[in-house]
Every structure is written in structure tokens, then in C-alpha cells.
Amino acid sequence: MGRPLVCLCLTGRTLEEDVAIAKKYQNYIDVVELRVDWLEEDERLKIRDFPSMVGIPTLLTIRRIVDGGRYEEGESSRTMLFARALAFADSDPMNNFAYVDFEEDFNVPSLQDAALAFGTKIIRSFHDMKNPVKNIAARLEKMRTTGYEIPKIACMPHNLSDVTELFKEASQLPEGEQILIAMGSYGLPSRILAERMHSYLTFTSPAELSANLAELGQIDPITLSEMYHFKNITKDTTIYGITGFPLKVTSSPKIHNAAYPKEGMDAVFIPFKADTVEEAKAFADLIGIKGFSITIPHKEKIIGQLDSVEPMVTAIGACNTAVHEKAGWKGYNTDCIGFEKALQEFTGLKTLEGKKVSIIGAGGASKAVVYAIYNLGAKACVFNRTVSKAKAIADIYGFEYASLGPESIDKIKAYSDIIVQTTSKGMGSTEASNSDNDPIYFYDFEGTEMVTDIVYEPEVTPVMARAKAAGCKVDNGYNMLRYQGEAQFKLYKGVYGSK
Ligand code: NAP
């Protein structure tokens, strides 16, 4: 079996619309799935012509509501539609449907016979839109009724553990003889690593469907191909990744995956969302991940899962990088190196001696920032919503600490040469500054402060926009991300290809 095929799911209202979308992605896909249940009623009568209209091997699917589709009419009208689509086989197979999806409980022998006679492969499917499916091997075996069909199971994991279980079961299955998909945002790795799922194909969706497909656990064919180099993923490909929760925003896959071909590395970097560090580590162990980045909110708790950590992790109390070395999992912190380099560039200063710095936030990333500020010789005050956390960090370095509210305005003024924003409060917000997206909304900038936000999405965060308007020099967290990523890359490269 070669690599898994890439199938694009078409959910247009008309056949013309579906053809236009398919053409846009044609260089990145092997198969299109015509979702007849999404078509307008009149269009459904013309589906027999679709394979010749699109010129790409087509999977015919008429999905019922119970299986996550939109087809509301009864089974007899669905049977008629299937019959209409599979009738009058053309001598050129490209003008016939290449595949047809019959659900496990849809058994119409005449349709099955017609499909087989015309060389249309049957995909025998089972969907559980709410739960994971266990005992996959037995279930797939039961679904093979004629011996010719490709069984498909699509299910909804409740967490990353359910996905891990699916990968574990899939590893025992023959390569490419079934289709397995874990849906939803936990399931994204099952689509990118379809090869490890021993899946016949992977499903993709047009980017037009949603601004952030990844949040839905879906992926578009161009991202799959150009960012993840899907067609190059084999059983020998080294896997790296990033974990966190909810892991909605991350540029790391883009940065790391872009570097692998340049470095001649056969590797892929995937996001895997995990509620707990235990689940993240179990997933990494099962699929043989060699190194992974850790983001919000797992940077502190991951330490308990590792076999050893570098001294900087102990000093900072947070770890953003786990590497599978010969002696086991080792934790590193590259946030500190990344922030220090980015701050030196931003301020144009090699040391911060004599400077007074406000550090907003006392989470995992803040710990690395405080460490770097201390290293650079500045005096600082740490502000946080949960004051006890600000105190715990500040005490280590002999810094001041304070609550994060209007009562601390004078304190911020006293430490206003540089203001470093490290909370997640403005992350993802494109609205103007307000009390929900700007952690220091109550502080009026003089215009002399240098303000850096370690958040990089959006490019200009609400607090940055406000500071800039007041005349301050501002920067976002992209350079920190880039430099910490470069340091991570070196660590990951150190274990590249190791068994
Ligand atoms: P974390 O450990 O979960 O800490 C979150 C911090 O934000 C805490 O100080 C928390 O205060 C504060 N916070 C959250 N919601 C708040 C709210 N509504 N009001 C006031 N404070 C709030 O997260 P982290 O790992 O430190 O990450 C924080 C941010 O930094 C994230 O947006 C992350 O993407 C970004 N980051 C960027 C880089 C980079 O390379 N540029 C690297 C690391 C992190 P409490 O303690 O009171 O909960």
C-alpha cells in the first residue's frame, strides 16, 4: 500500500460550486467526496454527471442526519438517489463514481451488485458523532460483509486518551485496508498522521468552510500538503509536536515544518491538544514522538512527567520543551533564551542595568520572562490577578509584586521604563482595548514606556494598539517565539532519527 489518499469533502449547494472548489484544490487531492446531502434538491437529480464534470475520482455520499449528515428524506428516496447515481455505467471509469459510501446498516444487494459490477469501490461506514469506538479490529471485521469493501469508522473522541487508544488499536491493523478518523479538535492528529492510523485515506475540507478549521479538528488540503508535507510522511518520519489546552492558536507547526526540508530532515510537527499533561505524555510515548513543545496551561505540570530537567527549568519552574533523549524525557526552557534575545533587539540594549520593568502576569511564560529580566540586570515588579503567584515569583529574585488592578497604577508608573505583558488576556482579540482584553486597561501610557507583549496573535494586541497610539515603542511576541523556536529546533535536531 502506498501513502493514504487525500480526499476533499465537498459540501456546496450546487454541483457547479463543488466543481469550482475541487478545481482550486485539484493539485493537492486524490479523491473528492460529493456530499449529496448538502446539495439543493434540484441539484440532487443531476449527480450522475458529477464524476465527468469534476474529472477527479469521486466518492458518492448521501449522509443521513443520524450519521452527522443533512439528508432528511426516508431510506427509499435515498436508495433511489444512489440508484440514479450508479446507473448507466460509462465505459470510461473516470465518468463513473470511483467510490460509494454505504453505511453499515444500509444493505441493498442490488445497489451493492451494481457498484461492484461497475468497478465502484464500496466504503462501508460507521459513524458515532458523540463517542469514541472501542475494539476497532472486531468492529471492522464485522463490517466486511462482501469481502470487497473498505470499512470506515469515524468517531468522536472525548479527550486525547481516546485518540491515543485509537492509534494503539490502529497500529495492529493491516496498512491501508480501512479508513479511521477521530473527529473534533482532539482528533486532528489522526488526519495528519493517517499513515500511522493505517488508514486508506484522510479527509480534508475546503478552507472556505471556516476561518479556523483546526478548531473543528479539520484541515484543508493545501495546509496538509504544504505545511505538513503529508505525502512525504512514512513510518520512518520522525514526529515532533506541540501540546496545550485549548491550543487554538499556535504558529509552531508552521515554523518547524517549514524548516525540516531545508535541513534535509524527514520529520513532521503536529499539534495535539490535551486536557492533562499525563494524556499528552502518553500520546507522545505511544506514537513515538521525539520532542514536543508545551504551551498554556501545561508548562509547570509537565515537569512531574519528565525523567530529568535542565537546571534552568528548575530555576524557572516551567518547561516548554520536552525531548526524548537516550536516558528518557528531558525538559528544557527555551522561552527565557527567546525572550532575552527578542528584548535585547527591541530595546537595543545589551543589559538593563538601571532600568525599571513592570511584568504583567505570573503564569508559566512569566516565570521565564522574570528570569530573563533578572539576568539582564533590571529591577522589576510583578503584577498578577492572583497576587500569591506574583509574590512567589518575585520573591525568588528580590523583586516587588502587586495586584493587577487600578489600585496598582502608581506602582506601574514607578516601573515604567519597560512594560512586559505576559498574560493570555488579549490573546486572539482584535477588538479595541477594553477591560476584557487589556490587562492594564486602567493605566494611561505616558508615551515614553517601551511596551512588549509576548502574545503574537493578533499581531497588534489591544494593549499594544493603545500604547502605540500614546506614542510608545511597541513589540509583540513573534520574535520571542521565533528565537525560542530556533533553540527548540536545535534540541529536536539533536534527537532526530534516534530510536
Ligand atoms: P499560563 O501559565 O496559563 O498563565 C496565564 C497568565 O495570564 C496568568 O498570569 C493569569 O493570571 C493571566 N490571566 C489569564 N486570564 C486572565 C484574565 N482574564 N485577567 C487577568 N489575568 C489573566 O499561560 P502562559 O504559558 O504563561 O502563557 C501566557 C501567554 O503568553 C499566552 O497567551 C501565550 O500564548 C503567550 N506566550 C508567548 C510566547 C512566545 O514565544 N511569544 C511564549 C510563551 C507564552 P492568574 O495567575 O491570576 O490566573
Side-chain angles (χ1 to χ4, degrees):
M1 158 78 193
R3 63 161 178 88
L5 302 178
V6 178
C7 179
L8 174 66
C9 180
L10 296 172
T11 52
R13 308 308 307 269
T14 66
L15 295 177
E16 290 294 343
E17 203 183 311
D18 280 340
V19 169
I21 299 257
K23 296 282 178 207
K24 177 178 165 195
Y25 292 103
Q26 64 185 351
N27 295 335
Y28 303 93
I29 57 177
D30 306 291
V31 180
V32 288
E33 179 183 37
L34 176 66
R35 286 289 299 269
V36 178
D37 49 306
W38 278 72
L39 291 172
E40 285 167 5
E41 256 183 76
D42 290 355
E43 292 289 309
R44 291 177 182 175
L45 302 176
K46 299 184 270 181
I47 54 177
R48 177 65 193 86
D49 298 332
F50 190 73
S52 55
M53 286 169 71
V54 75
I56 299 167
T58 304
L59 160 61
L60 169 70
T61 299
I62 313 176
R63 189 74 73 228
R64 300 170 297 202
I65 290 181
V66 61
D67 296 312
R70 292 190 155 198
Y71 198 77
E72 287 178 327
E73 292 79 18
E75 284 300 75
S76 56
S77 68
R78 203 162 74 106
T79 306
M80 298 262 287
L81 264 184
F82 272 127
R84 184 186 280 268
L86 296 173
F88 312 115
D90 197 290
S91 55
D92 180 353
M94 277 308 285
N95 294 336
N96 299 327
F97 282 97
Y99 304 89
V100 60
D101 183 311
F102 293 146
E103 293 83 3
E104 190 187 22
D105 59 352
F106 182 79
N107 272 306
V108 180
S110 58
L111 284 179
Q112 260 171 228
D113 292 348
L116 292 175
F118 301 143
T120 301
K121 283 199 183 108
I122 297 172
I123 292 176
R124 178 77 62 202
S125 65
F126 173 73
H127 300 84
D128 191 327
M129 308 305 293
K130 295 205 173 114
N131 299 299
V133 174
K134 309 272 181 208
N135 299 323
I136 295 282
R139 189 75 205 233
L140 290 169
E141 209 36 55
K142 222 176 110 207
M143 291 165 79
R144 287 190 172 95
T145 56
T146 65
Y148 295 108
E149 62 268 87
I150 305 167
K152 167 189 168 187
I153 293 178
C155 61
M156 186 61 80
H158 295 159
N159 46 45
L160 187 66
S161 297
D162 290 338
V163 180
T164 306
E165 193 54 37
L166 200 61
F167 270 98
K168 189 173 171 187
E169 290 201 48
S171 68
Q172 306 301 315
L173 299 173
E175 282 175 35
E177 290 183 17
Q178 55 282 312
I179 299 171
L180 293 176
I181 310 143
M183 294 183 286
S185 55
Y186 291 111
L188 186 58
S190 76
R191 295 183 195 252
I192 302 169
L193 299 180
E195 190 277 333
R196 296 289 156 105
M197 292 291 275
H198 290 178
S199 194
Y200 179 79
L201 57 74
T202 192
F203 284 93
T204 59
S205 304
E208 292 80 354
L209 203 67
S210 159
N212 193 352
L213 279 182
E215 257 181 62
L216 306 171
Q218 297 179 13
I219 188 160
D220 72 88
I222 298 179
T223 303
L224 188 67
S225 171
E226 300 208 328
M227 194 198 294
Y228 293 101
H229 311 117
F230 178 78
K231 293 182 183 175
N232 298 336
I233 300 175
T234 68
K235 61 179 180 1
D236 298 322
T237 301
T238 300
I239 306 174
Y240 302 106
I242 177 161
T243 194
F245 188 91
L247 201 60
K248 281 189 184 165
V249 179
T250 170
S251 299
S252 299
K254 194 171 167 189
I255 295 173
H256 285 263
N257 284 314
Y260 298 142
K262 290 179 200 152
E263 296 283 327
M265 290 166 71
D266 173 15
V268 62
F269 189 100
I270 60 159
F272 54 105
K273 168 176 148 177
D275 299 54
T276 67
V277 289
E278 289 80 3
E279 287 179 289
K281 166 81 168 2
F283 178 77
D285 280 334
L286 184 94
I287 66 165
I289 285 180
K290 290 290 169 225
F292 63 95
S293 311
I294 301 108
T295 187
I296 176 173
H298 297 327
K299 286 184 182 180
E300 288 125 325
K301 287 207 175 118
I302 194 71
I303 294 171
Q305 295 295 306
L306 305 174
D307 299 305
S308 64
V309 293
E310 65 164 343
M312 201 195 288
V313 168
T314 312
I316 295 171
C319 165
N320 76 331
T321 312
V323 180
H324 197 251
E325 298 178 351
K326 275 208 177 82
W329 283 103
K330 183 162 180 184
Y332 295 86
N333 193 312
T334 66
D335 279 341
C336 183
I337 304 160
F339 175 74
E340 195 168 311
K341 195 167 169 192
L343 188 68
Q344 282 173 323
E345 260 182 33
F346 172 56
T347 57
L349 301 168
K350 282 241 162 341
T351 93
L352 296 183
E353 263 168 50
K355 298 286 176 205
K356 295 188 90 183
V357 182
S358 281
I359 299 162
I360 314 300
S366 166
K367 288 180 174 174
V369 165
V370 177
Y371 186 89
I373 298 281
Y374 176 80
N375 253 355
L376 291 169
K379 296 252 177 296
C381 181
V382 183
F383 301 83
N384 199 41
R385 179 178 62 180
T386 311
V387 184
S388 57
K389 282 168 70 181
K391 175 177 178 357
I393 299 179
D395 281 354
I396 300 170
Y397 305 96
F399 287 166
E400 287 203 69
Y401 64 91
S403 56
L404 185 55
E407 65 286 355
S408 295
I409 290 177
D410 287 342
K411 200 65 149 183
I412 297 180
K413 274 193 186 145
Y415 283 86
S416 62
D417 293 327
I418 301 169
I419 298 177
V420 187
Q421 194 307 109
T422 77
T423 76
S424 49
K425 208 173 171 183
M427 189 163 69
S429 173
T430 48
E431 286 174 28
S433 156
N434 59 54
S435 58
D436 289 331
N437 65 14
D438 179 346
I440 49 169
Y441 66 93
F442 47 84
Y443 173 78
D444 289 328
F445 291 101
E446 302 277 342
T448 50
E449 305 89 337
M450 289 199 263
V451 179
T452 180
D453 193 331
I454 69 162
V455 173
Y456 52 86
E457 180 72 46
E459 205 175 320
V460 180
T461 62
V463 69
M464 279 171 67
R466 198 165 59 82
K468 199 173 170 191
C472 302
K473 188 177 171 193
V474 298
D475 192 19
N476 69 14
Y478 191 77
N479 279 338
M480 172 181 176
L481 177 80
R482 190 156 63 97
Y483 294 136
Q484 70 79 20
E486 281 173 12
Q488 273 180 339
F489 195 88
K490 274 193 201 141
L491 290 166
Y492 293 154
K493 207 173 166 194
V495 290
Y496 172 65
S498 62
K499 293 287 170 212

